[in-house]
């Protein structure tokens, strides 16, 4: 075999491993996000705006914020150091280091849990304005005393699962690492449904509303423990758990390296969680229903983000780490270039399509029971704004992994802090200083400010990476710009056209209108959204192929390489107008 053949085989090997890992992560996250959307639907169906705001506050801005501080701090630095130790000193030394981190983290979580049990209202005072009106919000404050202590066991399990998640990724067990989140969502869903059924079945709604939310909180806590148990089971199957040690010591140099990387990351993530708490909980808690509308709209956009960009970023990190450790800068730059161009090609059109269908999509997912048409309108505003930031979220996810794999921590953290501060300033000035009171304006300011700050962050990260790695040359920039302008324009025009045509058919052709109205409401609007989005995406992809963009050709060539029977369909002649390969 020639050197050229070896290079091609190596290129395919890297690409196939990354794509396979990304597909496994995407599959797990697809299942997780489906359950998450169902979970939100039942929360909106059974519980009022105030009740939904309360549960989402303790779930997303207390439980998940504490979890994500550990997850996002440990994630970027633990895996590179673990893999470096394993490569240099062996599996046993790497696991001793992991055991020390695990045990120290457990003790810190235990201390935090004790504080939450002693003073349950502390976290409510931090993240909401409810204490400003203790009489009007007395029921929420009393409910905090009942629910916050119940979170503690699940919170400890959920946070410890951050480390087991990374250990599974190190062994390329991507699906089970990601599916642990599915266990959380399933348990929450069961808690919401059981609590909601008891709530609606009781004549004393005020009492059972509280009891229903308590049951939902028990489901949340059970989910955190279930995720940890799922990871332990998967690790046990690899035979790795026997390496675990009850120790608080490890190699001093490795601990020093870890702490030097941990400090800047912890500062940045604490600031990011403050931004989320301020934007999505504190500043929105003054008006009923806004916390829920913002969270539900963001969930739709995040579901798309976690299916592809986040999955790709998770899959890239182990390989970025190996390439950085081996100083293979050429291969590193090539993979980063391909990932960036592919994400730009796909997510500019997808963002524009989701903006067009945001309202019917929101109605299809959520409008049932106590989630009204007005609730759908509010949620659609948040969904459209967050969807507009999908492309920036995708680039940020990949760029951050590129920095972390090269152990460059301070640069992305400082950029992130500056952009988070900008987001907070936009929210504060728009809502507090300029006294915006219209709920649609408030949601637009919060979500729009966040998207703007994220766009700025992704652009600055890309510029800094370009100066260090030179992963984008002039030709790549021209082709990426062509793909973005052409793909975005075609997708937007097609989505608007399909939306107008679909509504015209429903309104002017009686049989179509009757058939549409006969469908269940959820199916009705999900089908409408799917038809518009699917049609627009097909037009975009077909136009991209006919205009001979490189990105769709890459996708097709990889598809026929992995699944040779696809050649028989002769899709290349349909899409590209010629035979490929």
């Amino acid at each position: 075999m020639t050197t050229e053949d070896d290079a091609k085989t190596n290129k395919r090997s890297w690409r196939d491993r990354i794509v396979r890992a990304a597909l496994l992560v995407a599959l797990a996250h697809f299942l997780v996000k489906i359950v998450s959307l169902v979970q939100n639907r039942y929360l909106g169906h059974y519980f009022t705006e105030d009740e939904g705001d309360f549960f989402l506050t303790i779930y997303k801005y207390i439980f998940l914020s504490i979890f994500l501080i550990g997850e996002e701090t440990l994630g970027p630095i633990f895996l590179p150091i673990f893999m470096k130790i394993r490569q240099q000193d062996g599996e046993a030394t790497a696991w001793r280091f992991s055991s020390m981190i695990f045990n120290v983290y457990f003790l810190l979580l235990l201390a935090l849990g004790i504080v939450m049990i002693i003073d349950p209202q502390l976290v409510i005072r931090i993240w909401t304005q409810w204490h400003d009106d203790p009489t009007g919000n007395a029921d929420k404050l009393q409910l905090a005393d009942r629910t916050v202590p119940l979170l503690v066991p699940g919170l400890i399990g959920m946070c410890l699962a951050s480390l087991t998640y990374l250990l599974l990724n190190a062994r390329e067990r991507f699906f089970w690492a990601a599916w642990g989140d599915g266990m959380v969502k399933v348990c929450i869903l069961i808690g919401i449904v059981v609590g909601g059924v008891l709530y609606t079945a009781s004549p004393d709604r005020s009492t059972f509303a509280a009891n229903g939310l308590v049951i939902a909180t028990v489901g949340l806590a059970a989910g955190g423990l279930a995720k940890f148990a799922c990871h332990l089971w998967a690790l046990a199957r690899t035979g790795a758990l026997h390496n675990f040690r009850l120790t608080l010591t490890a190699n001093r140099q490795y601990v020093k390296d870890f702490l030097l990387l941990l400090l800047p990351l912890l500062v940045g993530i604490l600031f990011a969680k403050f931004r989320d708490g301020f934007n999505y909980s504190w500043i929105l808690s003054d008006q009923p229903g806004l916390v829920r509308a913002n969270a539900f709209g963001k969930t739709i956009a995040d579901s798309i983000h976690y299916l592809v960009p986040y999955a790709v970023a998770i899959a890239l990190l182990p390989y970025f780490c190996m390439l950085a450790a081996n100083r293979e800068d050429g291969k590193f730059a090539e993979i980063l270039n391909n990932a960036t161009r592919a994400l730009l090609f796909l997510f500019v059109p997808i963002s524009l399509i989701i903006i067009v269908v945001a309202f019917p999509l929101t109605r299809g997912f959520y409008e049932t029971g106590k989630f009204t048409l007005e609730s759908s309108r509010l949620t659609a505003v948040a969904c459209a704004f967050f969807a507009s930031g999908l492309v920036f979220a995708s680039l940020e996810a990949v760029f951050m992994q590129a920095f972390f794999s090269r152990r460059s921590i301070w640069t992305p953290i400082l950029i992130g802090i500056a952009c988070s501060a900008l987001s907070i300033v936009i929210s504060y000035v728009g809502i507090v200083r300029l006294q915006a009171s219209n709920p649609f304006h408030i949601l637009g300011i919060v979500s729009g400010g966040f998207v703007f700050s994220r766009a700025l962050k992704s652009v600055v990260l890309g510029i800094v990476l370009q100066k260090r790695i030179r992963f984008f040359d002039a030709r790549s920039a021209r082709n990426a710009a062509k793909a973005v302008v052409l793909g975005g324009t075609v997708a937007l025009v097609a989505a608007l056209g399909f939306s107008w045509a679909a509504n015209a058919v429903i309104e002017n052709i009686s049989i179509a209108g009757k058939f549409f109205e006969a469908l269940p409401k959820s199916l009705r609007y999900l089908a409408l959204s799917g038809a518009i989005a699917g049609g627009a995406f097909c037009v975009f992809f077909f136009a991209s192929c006919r205009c001979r963009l490189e990105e769709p050709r890459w996708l097709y060539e990889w598809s026929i390489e992995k699944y040779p029977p696809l050649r028989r369909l002769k899709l290349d002649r349909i899409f590209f107008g010629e035979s490929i390969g």
Side-chain angles (χ1 to χ4, degrees):
M1 183 178 287
T2 66
T3 303
E4 183 178 349
D5 291 334
D6 288 339
K8 289 181 179 179
T9 301
N10 185 50
K11 181 177 180 179
R12 284 196 299 270
S13 175
W14 276 105
R15 183 178 61 191
D16 291 349
R17 289 170 70 187
I18 292 169
V19 170
R20 178 179 176 275
L23 288 175
L24 287 173
V25 176
L27 173 60
H29 279 291
F30 172 75
L31 299 173
V32 168
K33 291 304 172 183
I34 290 295
V35 178
S36 183
L37 289 167
V38 175
Q39 164 199 306
N40 284 352
R41 178 177 174 82
Y42 279 104
L43 182 64
H45 177 83
Y46 287 119
F47 296 99
T48 65
E49 289 180 337
D50 269 339
E51 294 154 5
D53 284 353
F54 179 85
F55 181 77
L56 289 168
T57 296
I58 65 169
Y59 169 38
K60 287 186 175 290
Y61 307 116
I62 296 174
F63 187 87
L64 283 186
S65 288
I66 296 171
F67 158 70
L68 288 172
I69 289 171
E71 169 98 341
E72 295 177 5
T73 303
L74 294 171
I77 60 174
F78 175 82
L79 191 57
I81 293 178
F82 176 85
M83 296 180 72
K84 177 184 175 182
I85 298 172
R86 188 169 67 176
Q87 183 179 11
Q88 293 180 352
D89 297 337
E91 187 84 10
T93 305
W95 266 89
R96 183 178 182 85
F97 170 79
S98 303
S99 300
M100 184 274 295
I101 299 296
F102 183 95
N103 296 329
V104 170
Y105 193 27
F106 171 74
L107 293 176
L108 292 174
L109 290 169
L110 188 61
L112 176 63
I114 292 171
V115 172
M116 292 173 65
I117 292 171
I118 294 173
D119 187 3
Q121 292 189 22
L122 174 64
V123 286
I124 298 296
R125 291 195 296 270
I126 293 172
W127 290 127
T128 72
Q129 300 181 57
W130 294 335
H131 270 80
D132 295 342
D133 181 17
T135 303
N137 295 300
D139 54 338
K140 295 189 183 78
L141 300 178
Q142 291 171 6
L143 193 53
D145 291 331
R146 298 180 61 190
T147 55
V148 171
L150 295 175
L151 293 175
V152 172
L155 179 62
I156 293 175
M158 186 86 167
C159 291
L160 292 177
S162 299
L163 284 171
T164 51
Y165 181 96
L166 296 169
L167 291 169
L168 286 169
N169 281 345
R171 290 178 170 268
E172 300 188 21
R173 300 297 194 272
F174 297 104
F175 177 83
W176 290 112
W179 176 241
D181 292 323
M183 305 293 289
V184 179
K185 300 296 184 182
V186 169
C187 290
I188 296 172
L189 176 59
I190 293 171
I192 288 173
V193 172
V194 173
V197 168
L198 290 176
Y199 172 18
T200 56
S202 170
D204 184 3
R205 295 295 177 86
S206 61
T207 300
F208 272 79
N211 291 342
L213 289 172
V214 169
I215 294 171
T217 305
V218 171
L220 172 56
L225 293 172
K227 177 179 180 178
F228 186 47
C230 173
H231 286 183
L232 289 179
W233 173 80
L235 277 173
R237 292 189 65 190
T238 69
L241 278 184
H242 72 277
N243 292 311
F244 178 78
R245 296 290 182 269
L246 288 174
T247 181
L248 297 177
T249 62
N251 182 287
R252 287 188 178 182
Q253 186 58 48
Y254 292 142
V255 174
K256 181 181 177 181
D257 291 344
F258 178 80
L259 292 177
L260 288 174
L261 294 173
L262 177 73
L263 178 61
L265 206 55
L266 182 60
V267 170
I269 288 166
L270 284 172
F271 198 86
K273 294 308 124 187
F274 171 75
R275 174 205 65 199
D276 291 347
F278 181 86
N279 282 342
Y280 304 149
S281 181
W282 188 86
I283 209 163
L284 296 180
S285 64
D286 199 36
Q287 288 197 33
L290 293 190
V291 172
R292 185 181 71 173
N294 185 78
F296 280 17
K298 192 172 187 294
T299 297
I300 295 175
D302 284 351
S303 297
I304 300 167
H305 170 65
Y306 279 96
L307 283 182
V308 179
Y310 182 79
V312 169
I314 291 295
L316 281 172
L317 181 58
Y319 306 113
F320 273 168
C321 292
M322 284 187 272
L323 291 171
N326 296 330
R327 301 184 183 278
E328 297 183 51
D329 289 347
K331 175 62 66 177
F332 193 106
E334 179 189 344
I335 292 175
L336 186 58
N337 175 286
N338 291 342
T340 301
R341 289 183 59 185
L343 292 172
L344 283 170
F345 168 70
L346 288 173
F347 280 91
V348 168
I350 288 174
S351 295
L352 295 170
I353 291 170
I354 297 301
I355 291 171
V356 173
V357 300
F359 184 51
L361 193 62
T362 299
R363 297 193 72 182
F365 278 131
Y366 299 135
E367 196 173 304
T368 177
K370 296 178 182 178
F371 197 93
T372 63
L373 178 62
E374 187 66 16
S375 302
S376 293
R377 290 196 178 100
L378 277 172
T379 303
V381 170
C383 175
F385 272 102
F386 284 119
S388 69
L390 277 172
V391 64
F392 306 114
S394 67
L395 294 177
E396 179 195 8
V398 172
F399 290 164
M400 292 293 281
Q401 302 292 51
F403 275 105
F404 294 145
S405 65
R406 300 172 75 85
R407 302 178 70 181
S408 176
I409 304 297
W410 275 112
T411 299
I413 293 305
L414 292 175
I415 294 171
I417 289 174
C419 293
S420 293
L422 176 62
S423 172
I424 292 170
V425 169
I426 292 172
S427 296
Y428 180 79
V429 171
I431 298 171
V432 178
R433 303 301 298 177
L434 299 181
Q435 298 183 342
S437 57
N438 185 300
F440 293 96
H441 296 166
I442 291 173
L443 284 174
I445 290 168
V446 169
S447 53
F450 172 76
V451 169
F452 176 76
S453 68
R454 174 170 265 175
L456 181 62
K457 180 181 179 181
S458 64
V459 169
V460 174
L461 288 174
I463 291 172
V464 175
L465 270 176
Q466 174 66 10
K467 289 182 178 180
R468 296 184 180 182
I469 306 176
R470 298 288 179 187
F471 69 97
F472 236 57
D473 56 22
R475 178 179 174 278
S476 294
R478 285 195 302 270
N479 289 336
K482 179 181 176 182
V484 166
V485 173
L486 176 67
T489 302
V490 171
L492 180 60
V493 172
L496 291 172
F498 278 112
S499 179
W500 175 84
N503 285 296
V505 168
I506 292 169
E507 291 174 5
N508 298 314
I509 300 178
S510 60
I511 189 171
K514 290 178 181 178
F515 177 76
F516 183 73
E517 292 297 327
L519 294 172
K521 183 186 290 186
S522 296
L523 182 59
R524 184 189 314 166
Y525 290 107
L526 288 177
L528 177 62
S529 304
I532 295 169
F537 188 84
C538 288
V539 170
F540 144 72
F541 194 80
F542 182 80
S544 300
C545 295
R546 286 293 176 162
C547 291
R548 300 182 182 278
L549 298 182
E550 291 181 341
E551 290 84 356
R553 187 178 290 262
W554 294 346
L555 295 173
Y556 179 77
E557 287 177 347
W558 178 81
S559 299
I560 61 174
E561 179 184 314
K562 300 302 293 181
Y563 307 101
L566 287 176
R567 291 179 183 274
R568 300 172 189 169
L569 300 177
K570 297 183 179 179
L571 296 175
D572 49 354
R573 294 186 179 276
I574 297 173
F575 285 105
F576 300 97
E578 61 181 358
S579 179
I580 295 177

